[in-house]
Every structure is written in structure tokens, then in C-alpha cells.
Amino acid sequence: MKDYFEKLINEIESGLVKGIEPQNGILGKAMHYSLSVRGKRLRPLLFLTLIDAFEKNSLKYIDIACAIEYIHTYSLIHDDLPCMDNDDFRRGMPTVHKKFNDAIALLAGDTLLAAAFEKISFFDMPPEKVVNILKILTHSIGKNGMAGGQALDLEFNKNKKLIFKIQRKKTAELIKGTLLSGAEIVNMKEKDKDILEDVGNTIGIAFQMADDLLDIEGDEQKVGKKLHKDKINKSPNSVLYFGKDFVEKKIETSYKKSINMLKEINIDFPPFLSLIKKMVYRDR
Amino acid sequence: MKDYFEKLINEIESGLVKGIEPQNGILGKAMHYSLSVRGKRLRPLLFLTLIDAFEKNSLKYIDIACAIEYIHTYSLIHDDLPCMDNDDFRRGMPTVHKKFNDAIALLAGDTLLAAAFEKISFFDMPPEKVVNILKILTHSIGKNGMAGGQALDLEFNKNKKLIFKIQRKKTAELIKGTLLSGAEIVNMKEKDKDILEDVGNTIGIAFQMADDLLDIEGDEQKVGKKLHKDKINKSPNSVLYFGKDFVEKKIETSYKKSINMLKEINIDFPPFLSLIKKMVYRDR
């Protein structure tokens, strides 16, 4: 399994910077930098391992995997900006606006978002499939998805009733979109897709809760970004509002529920299941 | 012709805010605000009148016209931000970050961009056509188009050789993309599309030059935004570097060249031609 993941990661890393020339002006440099800083690459890995669970030919779809990581990277660059979370470090390296400047970070994010949809639009696949994946992803990052979640986060104002809604929109929607994009590639049955959608929501929210735990008790060196910020920023961190025990228990139940649902739709590919586990039991 | 335009504009205005609920949180409010401030709606009008030049059924495609205006609006919101042009007024009204705040303006722009591609992806049309329009538009706003032009603008550093390249990328690419999207709808022949592409470039650059003239000698009341900023900001304003006479002459030649090319591909629909004229001879 280690070799399998290593191979996928290598393909993702080279796919991400393909066509993005760092020598090509400051915008190219900033985009290249943002994509070269090693991340977990969770979303592309989820997408590719889900395909391999069915067809074992995931590398054919590496461009779509990379497009999904572009979307995630765009969201990180914009979130880190001074007017948002104002973060100086990400994955142990200076954030894009610290390395370059705010204007370039803004544009690098914008351009990655456009590049994501450009990559998918130009992908050599029946146009119905291209359109279906675009429907899934544009929806999952829009006002009812990731961006809407960010806005709710800004409006949070200690209203703890909003926390799980924020987590679903801000984090789970793109995870769900990633899984459903994979499902589209492997022609999953509609009723199985419904169950997978439920997995995406459940595990996506649990993933955000694991991130909340990290902020409270993680090790900054290991995590690569500034921690213990949620309390100061009055962020909707579930641990602050529901307590560590509640959150750990909820993560446990969500994980078990997800594994059961995956069993129901006959997904038992070990690398995929190991990713699901890694999402919620994170090294802190 | 006045009635014809009035009808199109009304459809555009109501299409733009369809599904964007101002009561739905601060993000919805900000998006709604940015779309309600009356603009020229040049790009959707170009798209619709080009379709009417062939098929007289442009209103069927109002959603795509509105998606193109979303893209333009996103670019204005982000351009106006303090880290970019730092503009307080646009179309005579406070810019989105002045009316709300920087974070919400950032997110409103991001969300409009996602919404543009969402609208097109969900548009009821053969998927090949949807994909072709997405190819055109994602390309025209990416690193080789609008966003790339913005980045070059930031790097300009009084290098006058870059001015027309910046104008082409920053402004002409989306105009060209708008025209080519219309051409896709009406099944224009490939060789006619090549000529239309040339029109897009030529008239797009001339449109930016007309904007440069406005900045130098326009009336702020009429234009609705702060003028005479390009000199202070050291922006790549063609009038500052090539002189008013040169620019006026170049606009004239570009306009005539465009009209001739349009004749060549049998486009003589008066509303479309009148828009092309209005783009370059602007009320100042």
C-alpha cells in the first residue's frame, strides 16, 4: 500500500505543476509556489483511490484529481489572506501573500479556480461526464457550499447552533463533491451515489472536527501552521463549544457509520478505507 | 432599436439576481448588491445581440449572458479591493468592500466566479456546446487571459512595450470569449470564428484605450468612478505613454477594421454594430 500511495502522490505532484511555469512572471511563480508546498493531497487521493476501488485505472484521471486540488489550494490562499484568517504559515512554509504580496495571492487564488475548471473542461472524456463533474464541483464550492460556509463562518458570532452547518458547507461539501466526481467516472448507480453522498457529509464533518481538535491540542511543528487560534479568532471550533469528549465521540461514530455505509455499497478497497481513517484520526 | 435594447436589459437585470437572495445572509446581500448596481452590461449585450444577428432567439440564452456578467462582476469586485486598485466607488455607488468589508467582497467575487460556471454547467443545451463555451471562457479569464493581464499590470513598471499585451489579456480576452461563446451558440463556421476572434481582440483593445482616454479626460459624475488615477497609480494607461492623438487614431482604425471584418462574415445586425461603436466612442 505504501508503494501504491507513493506512486499516486508522485503523479499528483507532477500533475499539479504541469503547465504552470515558475519562470513565467510573478503570477506563474506564485501559483507554482502554492502548488509545490507539500500538502496531504487528500482530495485528489480520495478521488483516485475511489476510482481504483472500481476500475484500477485512476491515473487516466490525474488531471481531474489535480483540478480538485487547485480548487482546494485556491481556497487556502484566499483564506490565509489578512482580511480573512491572516495566517503567515501553511504546511510549514510562508503563505502565498507573505511570500509574495496580497494582490498576487488574490490573483493566484482566482487563477487556480479558473484553471481548475479549464482543466476539467478540456479533459478528454465524453462531454456529458465533463458537464456532470462540473455541475457537482461548481455546486460544492458556491454559495450553498464552500464559499457559503466561509461567509457563515465570518457571521458566526458564537451561535453554536450554526457550527455543524458551517462545517458541512465549508469542509464537507468539497469532500462530498470529490467523492461524487469519482462516482461519476466509475458510473456508480444512483442509489449507491446517494449513500456515498451521505459518507461525504459524515466524514467531511468529522474531518473538520478532527481539525478543530488539532487546533486545540496539536503540535505546531507537526501541523505546520499556527494553532490555538480559533479561541482568539472566535472561530466556530466544535471543541470549544461542545467539549473534547463530545467531539471525539462524534468522530468515532461518524467514522464507524461511514465505514458501514461504504460496506453497503461494496467499497472495501484498503487504500480508500485507510484514507477515510486518516482523515479523522490525525497525527497530532 | 431602443425598445429592443430595453427588453434585453430588463431580462439581463432580472436574470442576474435570479436565485441570489439578499435576505440570505451577508454573502447573498453582497452578491445581490454587486449585481444590482447598474452597469453597461456590455458583455451580455454583445453575446445576446450576436445571437440575434443570426437566430433572433437570444433570450433563450439569457442564463449564459448573465454568467458572463458574473465573471465580469467578480473581476471588478476583486480589482477594487484595497490590495489591488483600492477604489471606493464604482458605477457611482460604494464598491462592495466599502459597503460590506474586504472579506465579504473577496468571498462575493469568489462565489460569483463559481456561480458563473455553475450556471453554464447546468444550462439546458447539448453537453458538447456547454463544454465548448466553458473551454472558451475558462481560458479567457485564466493565466493567459484576464487574470494574467491583471498580474502583468501589477508588474508593469513603466515598461511601455507591455501596454498592448496587458490590454489584450486584461480586457480583450473576455470580450473575445464573449463573442466566441455567441458564435458557438449559432454554430458559426470555423473560418468565420477566426475573423470574429480578430474582431474581439481589435475592439477589446480599442475599448480599453477608450477607457484610458476616459481616465485622462472624463467627467467623474458621468463615469461614476474616481478618474485621473492611472498617472498616480503608474498604471499602463496608453494615453500616458503614447499620447492622446495616437490613441484616438488607433481607436478609429480599430473600429473601422472591426466593422470591415464583421462585414466580411456577414454580420450587419444594427444593434450589434451600434454596441461595437459605443464600446469605443464613449460618452465622456
Side-chain angles (χ1 to χ4, degrees), chain B residues 189-232:
Chain B
K189 278 178 270 175
E190 288 306 318
K191 74 177 200 347
D192 288 2
K193 272 188 197 165
D194 291 344
I195 293 170
L196 191 68
E197 196 174 337
D198 203 351
V199 172
N201 262 328
T202 309
I203 208 73
I205 292 174
F207 174 60
Q208 182 57 53
M209 289 191 289
D211 204 67
D212 291 349
L213 272 172
L214 265 190
D215 181 81
I216 304 292
E217 50 170 41
D219 173 345
E220 285 193 8
Q221 284 291 320
K222 237 181 226 165
V223 182
K225 63 180 178 183
K226 190 140 183 61
L227 297 175
H228 322 299
K229 283 191 63 179
D230 289 348
K231 198 166 183 177
I232 304 158

Side-chain angles (χ1 to χ4, degrees), chain A residues 222-260:
Chain A
K222 239 181 225 167
V223 182
K225 63 181 179 182
K226 191 145 181 58
L227 297 175
H228 322 300
K229 283 189 63 179
D230 289 348
K231 197 165 184 177
I232 305 157
N233 289 353
K234 295 176 185 141
S235 298
N237 182 314
S238 56
V239 182
L240 292 177
Y241 289 86
F242 298 100
K244 197 183 150 192
D245 284 357
F246 175 90
V247 168
E248 282 184 334
K249 217 161 281 165
K250 178 127 190 190
I251 289 176
E252 176 87 17
T253 353
S254 303
Y255 172 67
K256 285 186 180 153
K257 188 183 159 200
S258 300
I259 294 294
N260 282 331

Side-chain angles (χ1 to χ4, degrees), chain A residues 7-274:
Chain A
K7 186 162 182 232
L8 290 192
I9 297 255
N10 284 338
E11 296 284 341
I12 293 168
E13 296 301 333
S14 59
L16 285 173
V17 293
K18 199 177 66 184
I20 294 177
E21 313 296 347
Q23 66 277 25
N24 220 344
I26 194 164
L27 182 62
K29 272 192 191 68
M31 290 169 77
H32 195 275
Y33 175 77
S34 72
L35 296 166
S36 307
V37 177
R38 283 286 182 121
K40 296 183 286 299
R41 311 307 189 199
L42 176 68
R43 291 155 197 81
L45 285 174
L46 277 174
F47 174 78
L48 296 170
T49 55
L50 180 65
I51 294 174
D52 279 340
F54 291 83
E55 301 188 345
K56 307 268 178 284
N57 63 350
S58 71
L59 290 180
K60 253 178 77 183
Y61 302 97
I62 191 80
D63 280 353
I64 297 177
C66 290
I68 295 174
E69 187 70 3
Y70 282 5
I71 294 174
H72 176 57
T73 309
Y74 127 78
S75 79
L76 298 182
I77 297 173
H78 281 190
D79 280 6
D80 287 338
L81 280 170
C83 69
M84 299 287 289
D85 290 350
N86 196 18
D87 273 311
D88 293 350
F89 288 92
R90 164 78 66 185
R91 299 167 176 170
M93 298 284 283
T95 45
V96 179
H97 67 275
K98 288 306 272 187
K99 178 87 178 173
F100 298 88
N101 61 50
D102 293 3
I104 288 299
L106 174 69
L107 283 175
D110 288 348
T111 313
L112 282 171
L113 182 54
F117 295 127
E118 187 176 359
K119 240 180 164 55
I120 300 171
S121 304
F122 278 89
F123 191 74
D124 186 15
M125 189 165 63
E128 310 81 66
K129 279 206 182 296
V130 172
V131 171
N132 285 342
I133 289 180
L134 286 168
K135 282 180 180 175
I136 293 166
L137 292 173
T138 51
H139 183 78
S140 68
I141 66 169
K143 71 179 163 43
N144 298 310
M146 191 169 68
Q150 287 293 352
L152 269 186
D153 189 328
L154 294 172
E155 290 185 284
F156 169 54
N157 204 13
K158 299 188 183 177
N159 178 359
K160 74 186 241 187
K161 273 193 228 149
L162 282 178
I163 288 181
F164 295 111
K165 188 175 179 190
I166 294 173
Q167 296 194 327
R168 181 184 61 74
K169 288 190 165 199
K170 200 172 81 164
T171 310
E173 283 294 331
L174 184 56
I175 302 281
K176 195 171 87 182
T178 300
L179 296 179
L180 291 178
S181 299
E184 179 63 32
I185 299 282
V186 301
N187 300 309
M188 195 177 279
K189 279 178 269 177
E190 287 307 317
K191 75 176 200 345
D192 289 2
K193 273 188 198 164
D194 291 344
I195 293 170
L196 191 68
E197 195 174 337
D198 203 349
V199 172
N201 262 329
T202 309
I203 208 72
I205 292 174
F207 174 60
Q208 182 57 52
M209 288 190 291
D211 203 67
D212 292 348
L213 272 172
L214 265 191
D215 182 83
I216 304 293
E217 49 170 41
D219 172 346
E220 286 192 7
Q221 283 290 322
K222 239 181 225 167
V223 182
K225 63 181 179 182
K226 191 145 181 58
L227 297 175
H228 322 300
K229 283 189 63 179
D230 289 348
K231 197 165 184 177
I232 305 157
N233 289 353
K234 295 176 185 141
S235 298
N237 182 314
S238 56
V239 182
L240 292 177
Y241 289 86
F242 298 100
K244 197 183 150 192
D245 284 357
F246 175 90
V247 168
E248 282 184 334
K249 217 161 281 165
K250 178 127 190 190
I251 289 176
E252 176 87 17
T253 353
S254 303
Y255 172 67
K256 285 186 180 153
K257 188 183 159 200
S258 300
I259 294 294
N260 282 331
M261 287 191 284
L262 288 169
K263 227 175 255 167
E264 222 180 301
I265 54 177
N266 299 311
I267 297 180
D268 56 5
F269 188 53
F272 182 78
L273 297 183
S274 86

Side-chain angles (χ1 to χ4, degrees), chain B residues 44-45 51 65-66 102 141 163 189 213 231 264-265:
Chain B
L45 285 174
I51 294 174
C66 291
D102 293 2
I141 66 169
I163 288 180
K189 278 178 270 175
L213 272 172
K231 198 166 183 177
E264 223 181 299
I265 54 177

